[in-house]
């Protein structure tokens, strides 16, 4: 059982694997599990881009052997130019479960609201923290961003489902969590602003707008869409009138 959400943990036959004989075997293990199927050149480019092929080959095989020693079984099998998870291993991987659940919820969203809602709730439970939060390799960081965005999307869908049933407080909480993972998503932020207004909290709506504005300026060098600026201007005007 591989759990990559959060700091990352591995259970082998129900027992926790803690001694990896170094950082590199653990990192390569999670990479191979997450990729599922990968070429040698992709592995070398990710882990040892500055080594010659011969040097990278030596380090790779030593590291892969350490993983096998830790697990007591070969993690991968080589087939048709790809390293893939060995068919002798029965693998349960939380990231695969999460992505499958999110995809299924999107497919069912127009067919069965209750089934889609159940899947979104399950996806929320599976996401127990950012992907491999203790690692800072480039491949980990890019994967972390990708999964966080997927999670934010799932939270936004879950928020809309709660809003449609009239549970505005729950919807707001979920939208705020979604924005934390997709802070420059204008559609999420305008939903937050409108909910704050509906709940009688216009000042908080402006705070949400300012965060969006700062994020877009810092990361993309743009301003929020005109209709969002107009909403913020309208809120400011009403607050000034009230004071």
């Amino acid at each position: 059982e591989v759990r990559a959400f959060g700091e990352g943990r591995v259970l082998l036959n129900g027992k926790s694997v803690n001694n990896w004989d170094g950082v590199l075997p653990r990192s390569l293990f999670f990479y191979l599990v997450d990729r599922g199927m990968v070429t040698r050149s992709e592995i070398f480019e990710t882990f040892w881009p500055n080594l010659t092929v011969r040097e990278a080959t030596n380090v790779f095989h030593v590291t892969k052997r350490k993983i096998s020693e830790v697990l007591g079984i070969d993690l991968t099998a080589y087939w048709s130019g790809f390293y893939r998870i060995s068919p002798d291993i029965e693998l349960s991987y939380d990231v695969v479960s999460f992505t499958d659940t999110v995809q299924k919820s999107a497919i069912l969203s127009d067919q069965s609201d209750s089934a889609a809602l159940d899947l979104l709730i399950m996806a929320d439970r599976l996401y127990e923290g950012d992907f491999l939060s203790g690692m800072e390799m480039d491949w980990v960081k890019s994967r972390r961003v990708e999964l966080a965005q997927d999670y934010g999307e799932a939270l936004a869908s879950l928020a809309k489902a709660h809003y449609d049933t009239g549970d505005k407080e729950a919807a707001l909480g979920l939208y705020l969590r979604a924005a934390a993972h997709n802070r420059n998503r204008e559609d999420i932020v305008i939903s937050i602003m409108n909910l704050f207004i509906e709940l009688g909290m216009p000042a908080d709506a402006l705070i949400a707008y300012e965060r969006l504005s700062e994020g877009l300026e810092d990361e993309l060098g743009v301003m929020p869409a005109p209709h969002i600026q107009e909403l913020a201007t309208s809120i400011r005007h009403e607050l000034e009138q009230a004071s």
Side-chain angles (χ1 to χ4, degrees):
E1 296 178 40
V2 181
R3 302 290 173 259
F5 286 124
E7 292 186 358
R9 59 193 178 95
V10 180
L11 296 175
L12 179 62
N13 297 324
K15 295 182 179 180
S16 180
V17 177
N18 298 314
N19 183 11
W20 288 94
D21 195 19
V23 174
L24 186 54
R26 183 174 184 267
S27 301
L28 182 60
F29 168 85
F30 276 106
Y31 175 82
L32 293 170
V33 168
D34 190 65
R35 288 298 186 268
M37 189 168 68
V38 64
T39 65
R40 189 180 71 164
S41 60
E42 289 172 321
I43 296 169
F44 289 3
E45 182 62 31
T46 300
F47 284 86
W48 307 287
N50 299 320
L51 297 184
T52 65
V53 171
R54 182 175 180 178
E55 291 170 333
T57 299
N58 289 336
V59 178
F60 172 57
H61 283 296
V62 169
T63 307
K64 194 160 70 72
R65 189 185 72 244
K66 287 184 177 181
I67 295 173
S68 297
E69 291 171 354
V70 168
L71 299 178
I73 189 174
D74 288 337
L75 175 66
T76 59
Y78 188 73
W79 179 77
S80 191
F82 291 89
Y83 286 94
R84 55 192 304 173
I85 301 301
S86 170
D88 296 328
I89 293 177
E90 184 179 348
L91 177 66
S92 170
Y93 184 34
D94 61 346
V95 172
V96 168
S97 298
F98 169 79
T99 54
D100 285 351
T101 301
V102 170
Q103 289 169 3
K104 287 176 183 176
S105 71
I107 293 171
L108 289 174
S109 61
D110 295 330
Q111 303 171 20
S112 172
D113 290 341
S114 61
L117 181 60
D118 289 342
L119 287 168
L120 289 169
I121 292 171
M122 185 185 301
D124 186 20
R125 290 173 180 165
L126 285 166
Y127 195 98
E128 296 184 343
D130 289 337
F131 180 76
L132 295 175
S133 57
M135 291 188 191
E136 293 304 322
M137 295 182 67
D138 287 344
W139 78 268
V140 173
K141 290 190 283 189
S142 62
R143 187 72 164 122
R144 184 181 297 152
V145 169
E146 176 187 337
L147 289 167
Q149 290 175 342
D150 289 345
Y151 181 51
E153 192 74 41
L155 289 174
S157 297
L158 194 54
K160 184 179 184 303
H162 280 282
Y163 182 81
D164 290 343
T165 63
D167 193 346
K168 295 180 181 180
E169 289 81 4
L172 177 59
L174 287 162
Y175 272 128
L176 288 169
R177 289 171 59 198
H181 292 278
N182 291 295
R183 74 185 196 123
N184 293 335
R185 276 280 300 273
E186 293 181 324
D187 58 330
I188 292 175
V189 174
I190 198 164
S191 294
I192 290 171
M193 292 174 68
N194 284 325
L195 268 168
F196 272 132
I197 293 169
E198 290 180 35
L199 293 170
M201 305 164 69
D204 292 282
L206 276 184
I207 292 173
Y209 171 79
E210 293 299 336
R211 287 175 180 164
L212 172 67
S213 182
E214 290 171 6
L216 289 173
E217 176 64 29
D218 291 344
E219 296 182 22
L220 302 174
V222 299
M223 292 292 292
H227 68 284
I228 304 178
Q229 295 183 50
E230 291 171 6
L231 178 59
T233 300
S234 174
I235 296 169
R236 287 194 192 97
H237 179 71
E238 290 181 11
L239 287 173
E240 288 170 0
Q241 292 284 86
S243 62

